[in-house]
Amino acid sequence: MSECGGRGGGNSSSSSDDAEDEGGGGGGSAGSGSFSPAPAGASSAGRLRRGLRGASLMARRRPELLCGAVALGCALLVALKFTCSRAKDVIIPAKPPVSFFSSRSPVLDLFQGQLDYAEHVRRDSEVVLLFFYAPWCGQSMAARSEIEQAASQLSDQVLFVAINCWWNQGKCRRQKHFFHFPVIHLYHRSFGPIEYKGPMSAVYIEKFVRRVMKPLLYIPSQSELLDFLSNYEPGVLGYFEFSGSPQPPGYLTFFTSALLSLKKDYLGTVRFGVITNKHLAKLVSLVHSGSVYLHRHFNTSLVFPREAVNYTAENIHKWALENREALLRWLRPHGGKSLLLNNELKKGPALLVFLPFNPLAESHPLIDEITEVALEYNNCHGDQVVERLLQHLRRADAPLFRSLAPEPPAQLPDPSPIAASPCCNTVVLPQWRPVSRTHNVCELCVNQTTAGLRPSSAGVPQCSFFEMAAALDSFYLKEQTFYHVVSHSVECSNFLSSYSPFSYYTACCRTINRAATGFVDSAQGVFETPAVAFSSLEEKCHVETPGSLPHIEENRYLFPEVDVSSTNFTGLSCRTNKTLNIYLLDSNLFWLYAERLGAPSATPVKEFATIVDVREESHYVLDPKEALRKFTLESFIQNFSVLYSPLKRHLIGSDSAQFPPQHLITEVTTDTFWEVVLQKQDVLLLYYAQWCGFCPSLNHVFIQLARLLPADALTVARIDVSQNDLPWEFMVDRLPTILFFPCSRKDRSVKYPEDLPITLPNLLRFILHHSDPASSPRSRADPPTKECVRSEAVFQQGHISHLEREIRKLRAEIGALQRAQGQVEAQLSSARRDGHRLLRQKQSLEARHGLLRLHSEQLRALAERKARELEELARRLQELADASQDLLTENAWLKILVATMGRKLEGRDGADELAPPREARPDRPEPSGPPRLPGSAPPPPNVSSAPASERSEENRTG
């Protein structure tokens, strides 16, 4: 038995990791029969370190195994994530489409998007309407009933096909790419598509389909020719002789040009007609078959130049569009974001006429009257052709129809509007002052003097409208001449024209009450109704709400002798710098626009007219009580065209019902401005706006002012100018602005100085200074009477009493404020003491916090030192445990050896004990005995020597 196993197991320490892994800390040969038990004191930490060391050893030996294990672990994690995650989203396929139209509908519904079948049926029909829709589209649903209604009227002549162009499996969705729905396309045989972009209304759709069905109007007689030429839409006429052939040359080209016009301009503003009568064609200068004529009302009409331009449908359509003349224009805004109205209103003042329009009606009397107004308004040169068309519109007996061949432009009339012969008119002039109840009625004459003869309308021809307009314009410039006409006598004056130095005017005026009748005595030229003196404005602060000022063309019932014939209105657009563009709108579709422009929301007849002038930032409304007809439109246009227009700018204001009556500050609106500001006592008016940041800071000043002054002497009011319009004379150019309207002098309002701070004392001085009766012209003209002085003293005494009461109230408030101030000071002192006490407590807590923080740091350092000591103690204990394990192993071997030696000693005799000891070999060291434990007895000397000799013997024998 070898001894290296035990020795090596007890004392040798291998530096090789292999020996440690294979032997487990103690080594021995397989044939030695020895064993090495596991250390009893081994900890779990040691096992973990050995396991990690083994893993690192395996990684160095077999790196491919480690990489494979890592890849396998990642794959396992990914599989677990996808296996344990939630299920995938399930997308339900779209439901198959269903029929959009009912089975009884006259519309063929291809709800699966069969575009190929639609193309097949289109080739077999003459006129086809294709309605492309999306089932979810609200506009498509709304247009469905309109399409059915139009189809019920035209199903025997037109094929109506509806195609679902939204289903993803249909051919329509794959081949058509529409940006909106619904879309309407019309086909006329092989021509198309003609897209319809008008209103989605049954009557408009039916009208457009009928125009596609019959793009050319047949003109068989002179009466129908006049109807065609007098229409407000531009007209194109073609002359073709059908006697020689069933289809004359060029007819198909002209027919295609009419369809092309409908395709390019969906409103259909160019009408195409056909003449087959040779004598009828000569009236419009058409001699040769295939000639094309473009009619224009005010410019020279044209004939298509076939010699210079190729005779094609595209060229005819382009020629007609480039040279057409628009008399009236329909506006059809689509209801979304659009610049249509903005672009049209930028062109200049516009007359917007709202009227109920039925496209399928045979005649439109109101449109004929509007057309007549437009023709007269733009007939600047007195064209005879236009006059004949006007006679036809008036249904008068037209004279023999002469040729309408293109003629050279007529000579311009004499630009001077003033006639050489004298003429007179009786007119009612506007009020000179807004506070007046009266009007000046004047006999205004042109080129007539008062030398020895007072002007009279008897035996003197009436002046035309433009002559009177020029006279009135010059008379307005001389208004200071008749500023104080309040007597019963007639005052006359002569003045030169402000436009022509060779013309002069005579005005004999007298002031009468507005309600008076019987203005003129035609026999004597004097006024029968006596003048009504001014009411004392100094005693009554009252102003009547201004109404529409009567003018010469508005007062035929007051002045029967004034006859404004249509010749005065003819060519007005060329004699004014405020030329109007006339537009038509269907009130059945666009009444909302009319309401925003001032039309009443509830009216039995939806007729409304307004003039919008964007450059002047104003618009004028025709009185809704007036019937919309030719005479009212002419008067409306004439009033707008004069230099000093009597029309009242339409004012938009907020609802006065939303401001309840207040005791301190009165809220003024557009409707209540005249009642509050100009019909009450002294008024202090503040102009403000919601976006004005400085305006709210003045509220407390005006509240104090309203509380300080009596309500029966002064009204403090304010108006939001961002929500309420006022006449131009009452507008301001900056905010906030303060105006003071005295009771007796409303026309002499005073503006608060801009450089003066807006404070209560300054406002009081401003009001008292401008409301002092001593500063009025009346007090300087007439000395005050005793009654006036007494009433003034009573008023001042009442005012003083009121001020004394206010002072007592203010003193009481000051006392209450002083008592409240004492209480607040006591509370502040108590709060200061509490603050000092809290400060001391805070300092004490901060000191304690510092000590606790120092103690915590000391404890942390002590804990760290104790932890290091414990680690050192644990290390030493581990070393001691390892040493004790080695001692236990050696102790076991010693026991075995002692037992062996004991058995051998028992067998020997005593002779061996007396034998002398051997000499020790000098080259072999003395074997050292086993280590002695503390407190154990030293081994006998023979115990240590005997094993040594025994081992030597065994080595020799072995």
Side-chain angles (χ1 to χ4, degrees), residues 359-483:
L360 300 178
E362 294 294 335
S363 62
H364 303 88
L366 183 56
I367 294 183
D368 292 342
E369 290 191 9
I370 299 174
T371 304
E372 185 179 350
V373 171
L375 286 173
E376 293 181 0
Y377 181 69
N378 293 281
N379 189 17
C380 300
H381 310 309
D383 196 334
Q384 296 299 323
V385 176
V386 178
E387 291 295 335
R388 288 194 291 272
L389 295 179
L390 287 173
Q391 292 178 5
H392 178 74
L393 286 175
R394 301 187 189 109
R395 298 297 186 267
D397 294 335
L400 181 63
F401 194 88
R402 294 180 296 178
S403 175
L404 293 176
E407 300 175 356
Q411 296 294 328
L412 291 176
D414 186 8
S416 176
I418 304 301
S421 58
C423 60
C424 296
N425 271 357
T426 302
V427 295
V428 178
L429 300 181
Q431 298 168 343
W432 297 120
R433 294 188 295 179
V435 297
S436 175
R437 286 175 174 269
T438 60
H439 279 293
N440 287 334
V441 178
C442 299
E443 189 75 21
L444 192 58
C445 299
V446 180
N447 289 342
Q448 181 173 346
T449 64
T450 59
L453 178 64
R454 178 167 298 176
S456 174
S457 60
V460 180
Q462 299 293 329
C463 300
S464 65
F465 169 77
F466 292 103
E467 293 171 343
M468 295 308 300
L472 289 174
D473 291 341
S474 296
F475 187 70
Y476 289 156
L477 300 178
K478 304 292 183 178
E479 63 182 43
Q480 67 275 7
T481 306
F482 298 94
Y483 192 84

Side-chain angles (χ1 to χ4, degrees), residues 664-668 676-677 683-687 702 715-719:
L664 294 179
I665 300 179
T666 304
E667 192 73 29
V668 179
V676 174
V677 177
V683 178
L684 186 71
L685 182 62
L686 168 67
Y687 291 81
F702 281 85
T715 299
V716 180
R718 66 175 186 173
I719 182 171

Side-chain angles (χ1 to χ4, degrees), residues 702-755:
F702 281 85
I703 291 175
Q704 293 178 7
L705 179 65
R707 293 181 59 186
L708 185 62
L709 297 178
D712 55 351
L714 176 70
T715 299
V716 180
R718 66 175 186 173
I719 182 171
D720 185 359
V721 293
S722 63
Q723 301 293 331
N724 299 273
D725 292 337
L726 292 177
W728 295 120
E729 60 268 20
F730 296 108
M731 293 300 292
V732 296
D733 57 354
R734 56 172 296 175
L735 297 177
T737 297
I738 303 172
L739 292 183
F740 178 71
F741 294 86
C743 173
S744 59
R745 305 180 310 280
K746 295 293 185 179
D747 56 336
R748 298 182 182 180
S749 58
V750 185
K751 183 179 179 182
Y752 186 84
E754 297 178 357
D755 56 348

Side-chain angles (χ1 to χ4, degrees), residues 615-628:
R615 183 175 299 176
E616 298 295 332
E617 298 182 359
S618 60
H619 75 279
Y620 309 94
V621 174
L622 181 64
D623 189 0
K625 299 178 182 178
E626 296 281 346
L628 189 61

Side-chain angles (χ1 to χ4, degrees), residues 464-690:
S464 65
F465 169 77
F466 292 103
E467 293 171 343
M468 295 308 300
L472 289 174
D473 291 341
S474 296
F475 187 70
Y476 289 156
L477 300 178
K478 304 292 183 178
E479 63 182 43
Q480 67 275 7
T481 306
F482 298 94
Y483 192 84
H484 296 289
V485 181
V486 295
S487 63
H488 291 265
S489 61
V490 178
E491 298 185 8
C492 299
S493 178
N494 295 330
F495 50 93
L496 292 176
S497 170
S498 59
Y499 298 98
S500 174
F502 305 104
S503 300
Y504 53 90
Y505 307 124
T506 300
C508 296
C509 300
R510 187 178 188 181
T511 303
I512 65 171
N513 191 282
R514 293 180 61 184
T517 56
F519 291 136
V520 182
D521 184 359
S522 59
Q524 299 179 0
V526 297
F527 302 103
E528 295 179 355
T529 305
V532 180
F534 275 112
S535 59
S536 178
L537 294 179
E538 291 79 10
E539 297 177 0
K540 297 181 180 179
C541 299
H542 180 79
V543 177
E544 187 173 349
T545 303
S548 59
L549 299 178
H551 214 282
I552 179 173
E553 66 275 7
E554 295 182 353
N555 294 274
R556 298 185 181 184
Y557 63 95
L558 294 178
F559 306 100
E561 68 278 4
V562 179
D563 182 19
V564 182
S565 62
S566 60
T567 57
N568 298 329
F569 183 75
T570 303
L572 180 58
S573 63
C574 300
R575 296 194 296 269
T576 178
N577 58 354
K578 296 188 291 185
T579 303
L580 286 171
N581 300 316
I582 305 177
Y583 300 95
L584 303 178
L585 293 95
D586 188 357
S587 59
N588 295 326
L589 301 176
F590 310 110
W591 188 247
L592 179 62
Y593 293 89
E595 291 182 357
R596 293 182 178 179
L597 289 172
S601 57
T603 178
V605 180
K606 292 185 177 180
E607 295 179 356
F608 177 71
T610 178
I611 295 177
V612 180
D613 193 349
V614 177
R615 183 175 299 176
E616 298 295 332
E617 298 182 359
S618 60
H619 75 279
Y620 309 94
V621 174
L622 181 64
D623 189 0
K625 299 178 182 178
E626 296 281 346
L628 189 61
R629 54 193 181 94
K630 178 178 179 295
F631 169 69
T632 55
L633 282 177
E634 287 181 355
S635 300
F636 190 42
I637 296 174
Q638 286 174 339
N639 286 333
F640 173 77
S641 301
V642 297
L643 182 60
Y644 293 92
S645 175
L647 296 177
K648 293 298 179 181
R649 183 171 63 98
H650 182 70
L651 305 179
I652 300 175
S654 56
D655 186 11
S656 58
Q658 62 180 339
F659 302 109
Q662 299 180 0
H663 298 287
L664 294 179
I665 300 179
T666 304
E667 192 73 29
V668 179
T669 62
T670 303
D671 299 332
T672 62
F673 177 80
W674 295 93
E675 176 184 357
V676 174
V677 177
L678 299 180
Q679 290 188 358
K680 290 187 176 181
Q681 62 274 8
D682 296 346
V683 178
L684 186 71
L685 182 62
L686 168 67
Y687 291 81
Y688 77 100
Q690 297 292 337

